[in-house]
Amino acid sequence: MKLYIQQRVIAGFLLAIAIISALAVYSYLNNKRSIRESFLVSHSNEVLYHIEQVWSITANLESAQRAYTITGNEVFVQPYKESSREVHQHLDDLKSLIADNAYQYERFLILRKLIDEKLLFNQKLLDTRQKNFEEAQTIHASLEGKTLMDKIYTVIADMQEHEKMLLRQRTEQREQGIQNFNWAYVALLSATASLLVFVFIAINKNLKARFQAEESAKEAASRIQDIYDNAPCGYHSLDATGMVTEMNKTWLDWLGYDRSEIINRVRFSDILAPGNIELFKSRFETFKTQGFVRDLEFDIIRKDKTTFPILLNATAVYDENGNFQKSRSMAIDYSQRREANLRIMALNQELEAFTYSVSHDLRAPLRSIDGYARILSEDYMDKFDAEGKRVLNIVVNNARKMGQLIDDLLEFSRVGRKEIIKGVVDMSKLAQYASEELLFNESGRKIDLKIDTLEVATGDAHLLRQVWINTISNAIKYTSRKEHTLIEITSQSNAFETIYCIKDNGAGFDMQYVHKLFGVFQRLHRAQDFQGTGVGLAIVHRIISRHGGKVWAEGKVDEGASFYFSLPKSTQTSKLPL
Amino acid sequence: MNNIVEILLVEDNPDDAELTIRALKKHNLANNLLHLQDGEEALDFIFSSEPNSLPKIILLDIKMPKVDGIEVLRKIKSDENRRIIPIVVLTSSKEERDIIETYKLGVNAYIVKPVEFEKFVSAVSEIGFFWLILNQPPIK
């Protein structure tokens, strides 16, 4: 048996029980003693009674004897005979009563002897009186009888005194016992009462604490229930068969159903749009073993037959044997987000149409400008003077520059829109291939490019290749004025991310403009020093951002630059195009 | 013999057309070239030609008024007798969806016109050289 009572309460109870038991035992013993003492008291009274009787009968005998002696009337003989029989009767009784009391018994023997003597004396007197009155008178006058009576009285008085003393003692003892018992009884009962009061207080305190705990538990439960019911998202649980076993109020309100219409009556597939049912069934089976699902989109049918989209996330609950028990599912009303997504898709399409036409329509006239300027310079060179040639060159150069700008801008836009297809990417190989490709065009330069064994990354290989191309070409470009180019590519990782670094000994940059490095068309060097459109690092920034990573750089003018980008190790990234 | 069109250039931009023709002429590849301005004209021409007098190569722009290059490509490549004509898309657009779609329709090559004239000239002349001289066509 499990005990929920406090130790002191148990102790109090045990003590009370012990006291009551002791009281019972004490009461029983006291009762026994009291009975014995009462017996002794009544015994003493009996003894006194018999002593009294013996004396009074003896006195009667004396009177009867005297009366006869004086009168000689036979009428006194009869009572005398009766009394002498009676006195023996009482003596016998007395003997049995005081047999255990040596003092009294001793006196009793004397008394009996004296009474016997007295009876003999009386008999002698009676006999003598029958014959001769004077002779009897003489005997009487001898005062023998009186002496005997005095002796008897003395013994009787002694015995009475002794017995009374005993009686007094016994009565006192009995009263003392009763008083003692009463005191003890009251004391123990008071102790028990106090204990019970203590126990009562302790139990009350305990119950109060329990009641308060229950109250706060109830309050906490209702708070949690409120969060569950009124959270701004839907919560539900499904059992292994897909039956809805729990559902919060928000969900029910979305659906327009009553709790009683759903719980244990409807399977989740019953509220799905027909096109979603098969998808749900197959995903639910996987979910039961996999333990979670993330961001599944479903169309839900309300009670009024209208539909709305939700985004479903769930984790599985298993019992101790690892069997699927139920789901903890959370649904988000996806209507607005879906609309926003559709808007984004529409905007993207618009953007795509725009870039498409930019790509096509802006390039064509540029090509004509460049082409015809070239025809001019090829076919009509003799007709131009030096200034004419210079101007023509400017036209050609600008046409080309604009062509490059358009190409870069389109690439920048493409990188933002392209769907990221993730996989494990061997960054060492990717950097190796990119640098080989880039160094192929730099055969005249002395370039020392070292690539460490790089950490693998999770990402889109095609886009990450672009990152390497842009960063390495950047390093090659800005080291072009150094006699001996040194480029080092390294990586390091922690639990969350891997950081890649491309370090060069080139022109570097002023750290106060570092914020401009990764912006579109932002350049920290003049075109005549280093050519470029200012899009390469912006593309790097965009690709890394879309992978959930960061880019940054450190540098010092003429002392080289280090470009860093980080890629997270988790697979979570934005699904929406940037 | 010389009346047979060897190269059919379908290009709505007259400047691009002129530059293309000029590039081919430089390498003497434009002798039997026909330039048409849009897809409709191209389809009319192709589908009115005898199967034995089809061009050796069609250089096709994509973005054109009325019937665009994709449509021309689809029509020709789905015709039993004319699908054998090699078609090279020569366009300004580098759009992936165009590249993918034209390849699905059976394009023989997809060339993005470079902005720089030299590159343009070398691209066009290489196309002409490859398809007219190096390549062995199925048509006699």
Side-chain angles (χ1 to χ4, degrees):
Chain A
M1 186 178 81
K2 196 174 174 195
L3 286 174
Y4 294 97
I5 307 165
Q6 282 180 322
Q7 267 181 341
R8 52 182 179 165
V9 174
I10 295 171
F13 265 123
L14 289 179
L15 201 55
I17 289 168
I19 290 172
I20 289 167
S21 305
L23 210 56
V25 171
Y26 181 52
S27 177
Y28 170 73
L29 293 175
N30 187 67
N31 222 18
K32 235 172 116 176
R33 200 193 61 203
S34 177
I35 288 168
R36 202 167 54 81
E37 277 168 357
S38 297
F39 169 76
L40 286 176
V41 169
S42 66
H43 179 82
S44 287
N45 281 327
E46 218 173 327
V47 169
L48 283 171
Y49 165 75
H50 283 291
I51 292 170
E52 187 62 40
Q53 284 298 309
V54 168
W55 174 246
S56 110
I57 294 166
T58 310
N60 283 348
L61 281 171
E62 183 67 14
S63 329
Q65 172 264 119
R66 279 185 192 168
Y68 181 69
T69 309
I70 294 162
T71 61
N73 194 341
E74 285 293 333
V75 83
F76 293 110
V77 176
Q78 193 53 38
Y80 177 84
K81 280 182 180 163
E82 275 171 23
S83 292
S84 72
R85 251 199 329 273
E86 255 179 80
V87 82
H88 276 107
Q89 188 68 50
H90 282 294
L91 282 171
D92 285 349
D93 286 348
L94 196 56
K95 183 188 174 188
S96 70
L97 281 171
I98 58 169
D100 57 340
N101 189 328
Y103 183 89
Q104 292 288 63
Y105 192 65
E106 199 184 316
R107 269 141 199 84
F108 168 75
L109 292 177
I110 296 165
L111 180 66
R112 197 168 62 179
K113 195 169 151 266
L114 286 169
I115 286 174
D116 282 346
E117 275 178 34
K118 184 69 179 74
L119 285 176
L120 275 175
F121 174 78
N122 283 354
Q123 196 55 51
K124 193 171 95 184
L125 244 171
L126 289 178
D127 291 347
T128 310
R129 172 68 182 83
Q130 231 168 356
K131 292 171 222 156
N132 189 331
F133 176 67
E134 283 80 16
E135 204 174 328
Q137 234 177 350
T138 317
I139 293 169
H140 238 300
S142 73
L143 290 178
E144 196 190 339
K146 186 183 177 302
T147 316
L148 271 174
M149 274 311 273
D150 288 348
K151 280 184 180 168
I152 285 170
Y153 182 76
T154 311
V155 172
I156 288 277
D158 189 16
M159 281 184 83
Q160 269 179 334
E161 194 56 40
H162 183 75
E163 202 59 43
K164 273 180 188 163
M165 186 201 72
L166 277 179
L167 182 63
R168 215 167 37 247
Q169 273 180 2
R170 281 168 181 172
T171 308
E172 261 173 33
Q173 204 175 349
R174 192 179 65 171
E175 271 167 10
Q176 191 64 45
I178 286 169
Q179 209 171 26
N180 286 349
F181 176 75
N182 282 347
W183 277 119
Y185 195 79
V186 167
L188 287 174
L189 272 184
S190 307
T192 309
S194 314
L195 265 175
L196 288 177
V197 167
F198 162 78
V199 165
F200 174 80
I201 290 168
I203 287 175
N204 188 50
K205 206 170 150 189
N206 198 343
L207 284 179
K208 190 177 164 189
R210 198 170 299 182
F211 179 75
Q212 280 169 346
E214 242 170 62
E215 279 297 297
S216 66
K218 256 190 226 164
E219 201 186 314
S222 85
R223 268 207 306 274
I224 290 164
Q225 186 66 37
D226 177 69
I227 291 169
Y228 180 79
D229 265 336
N230 299 314
C233 60
Y235 291 127
H236 69 263
S237 287
L238 305 180
D239 68 11
T241 66
M243 181 68 80
V244 178
T245 56
E246 288 163 51
M247 186 174 267
N248 75 341
K249 198 170 161 295
T250 308
W251 231 136
L252 291 164
D253 290 348
W254 286 349
L255 291 171
Y257 283 109
D258 219 50
R259 187 175 294 276
S260 58
E261 293 173 292
I262 293 280
I263 306 299
N264 293 325
R265 296 186 71 160
V266 166
R267 281 174 212 286
F268 193 69
S269 51
D270 297 341
I271 56 168
L272 286 175
N276 287 169
I277 293 173
E278 281 313 307
L279 170 74
F280 170 75
K281 283 182 175 165
S282 74
R283 296 305 293 265
F284 189 58
E285 289 311 310
T286 334
F287 163 69
K288 284 194 277 189
T289 51
Q290 187 177 272
F292 68 92
V293 285
R294 227 177 254 171
D295 292 348
L296 284 185
E297 236 184 289
F298 289 114
D299 284 318
I300 301 293
I301 305 174
R302 293 192 185 92
K303 193 180 182 179
D304 62 12
K305 304 294 173 208
T306 57
T307 61
F308 71 107
I310 60 152
L311 204 61
L312 187 74
N313 281 279
T315 51
V317 180
Y318 299 98
D319 64 18
E320 63 269 27
N321 301 321
N323 299 316
F324 176 84
Q325 249 186 343
K326 62 170 186 172
S327 72
R328 291 187 211 94
S329 313
M330 188 202 71
I332 295 167
D333 186 339
Y334 204 52
S335 318
Q336 286 185 349
R337 233 190 277 181
R338 182 181 276 183
E339 271 172 36
N341 274 357
L342 288 174
R343 270 204 304 281
I344 289 171
M345 275 162 71
L347 285 170
N348 269 334
Q349 271 171 4
E350 221 170 276
L351 186 68
E352 218 170 314
F354 172 73
T355 53
Y356 184 81
S357 85
V358 165
S359 161
H360 193 274
D361 295 349
L362 286 187
R363 281 163 61 97
L366 268 179
R367 197 164 39 251
S368 295
I369 294 169
D370 188 64
Y372 285 98
R374 199 47 69 114
I375 290 167
L376 265 184
S377 74
E378 276 178 13
D379 294 1
Y380 304 92
M381 201 44 117
D382 48 339
K383 295 187 170 133
F384 280 107
D385 61 5
E387 180 60 12
K389 284 175 191 163
R390 190 184 70 81
V391 170
L392 197 60
N393 245 337
I394 292 171
V395 172
V396 170
N397 281 340
N398 278 289
R400 279 178 197 182
K401 198 174 163 194
M402 187 166 170
Q404 191 60 48
L405 279 172
I406 291 168
D407 283 351
D408 286 352
L409 194 56
L410 284 172
E411 180 63 18
F412 181 69
S413 142
R414 200 180 64 81
V415 159
R417 285 176 291 128
K418 188 184 175 293
E419 195 191 347
I420 291 183
I421 300 156
K422 285 210 165 169
V424 175
V425 180
D426 184 340
M427 292 295 257
S428 293
K429 270 190 186 163
L430 217 52
Q432 191 63 47
Y433 292 157
S435 56
E436 278 168 13
E437 200 180 314
L438 292 164
L439 291 175
F440 185 75
N441 300 322
E442 306 286 342
S443 49
R445 283 176 57 191
K446 197 177 170 193
I447 296 176
D448 192 0
L449 197 153
K450 291 182 199 157
I451 301 174
D452 248 24
T453 306
L454 303 176
E455 297 273 344
V456 294
T458 306
D460 185 311
H462 188 75
L463 290 175
L464 292 177
R465 180 182 167 276
Q466 190 67 49
V467 169
W468 287 119
I469 297 257
N470 290 14
T471 50
I472 296 170
S473 67
N474 207 53
I476 291 172
K477 181 170 34 172
Y478 288 99
T479 50
S480 59
R481 304 215 165 161
K482 294 277 168 181
E483 207 169 298
H484 184 190
T485 294
L486 187 65
I487 300 171
E488 285 173 292
I489 299 175
T490 54
S491 76
Q492 64 180 83
S493 75
N494 58 34
F496 311 105
E497 58 180 11
T498 307
I499 295 165
Y500 301 88
C501 173
I502 302 95
K503 187 170 186 262
D504 65 55
N505 64 341
F509 59 90
D510 188 339
M511 276 302 272
Q512 67 171 308
Y513 303 118
V514 68
H515 60 281
K516 288 189 167 183
L517 267 180
F518 296 98
V520 189
F521 297 138
Q522 299 282 353
R523 302 211 62 218
L524 300 187
H525 298 90
R526 288 179 302 177
Q528 52 261 59
D529 294 339
F530 298 101
Q531 283 200 341
T533 55
V535 178
L537 289 179
I539 287 174
V540 169
H541 184 196
R542 186 169 261 204
I543 292 173
I544 297 303
S545 294
R546 292 200 62 201
H547 280 79
K550 282 185 295 190
V551 292
W552 66 98
E554 286 163 8
K556 211 171 174 187
V557 176
D558 285 333
E559 286 181 29
S562 295
F563 288 86
Y564 301 90
F565 64 90
S566 68
L567 290 170
K569 286 194 168 172
S570 76
T571 56
Q572 198 63 46
T573 43
S574 130
K575 285 188 173 167
L576 293 173
L578 281 168
Chain B
M1 161 89 195
N2 277 358
N3 293 338
I4 293 177
V5 173
E6 284 190 321
I7 299 176
L8 176 63
L9 174 65
V10 189
E11 171 66 77
D12 66 318
N13 184 333
D15 296 343
D16 269 8
E18 192 187 328
L19 291 174
T20 307
I21 293 164
R22 193 183 163 88
L24 289 168
K25 266 187 184 158
K26 261 195 168 172
H27 296 86
N28 212 18
L29 292 164
N31 297 332
N32 296 309
L33 183 142
L34 176 65
H35 171 217
L36 298 175
Q37 306 263 345
D38 64 50
E40 197 176 26
E41 282 182 20
L43 287 174
D44 285 349
F45 174 80
I46 292 292
F47 284 92
S48 61
S49 299
E50 291 298 313
N52 57 0
S53 61
L54 293 171
K56 281 188 175 176
I57 176 80
I58 299 175
L59 300 179
L60 187 62
D61 188 16
I62 286 187
K63 220 177 152 225
M64 289 184 295
K66 294 195 263 187
V67 181
D68 70 5
I70 305 267
E71 196 52 37
V72 173
L73 181 67
R74 178 178 296 125
K75 289 252 164 74
I76 293 174
K77 287 298 180 184
S78 54
D79 184 89
E80 193 57 46
N81 294 318
R82 289 162 179 85
R83 70 200 300 174
I84 52 172
I85 310 169
I87 299 179
V88 173
V89 164
L90 194 61
T91 177
S92 295
S93 151
K94 208 168 134 186
E95 283 294 313
E96 248 165 80
R97 57 169 189 190
D98 283 349
I99 298 172
I100 290 165
E101 196 173 359
T102 52
Y103 267 94
K104 277 183 184 163
L105 290 173
V107 78
N108 299 78
Y110 188 106
I111 310 293
V112 179
K113 296 180 210 166
V115 171
E116 294 96 326
F117 187 63
E118 291 107 326
K119 287 186 188 167
F120 182 75
V121 167
S122 81
V124 170
S125 53
E126 271 174 38
I127 295 165
F129 186 71
F130 178 82
W131 290 105
L132 293 184
I133 297 169
L134 273 185
N135 189 44
Q136 186 58 53
I139 312 155
K140 298 289 176 218

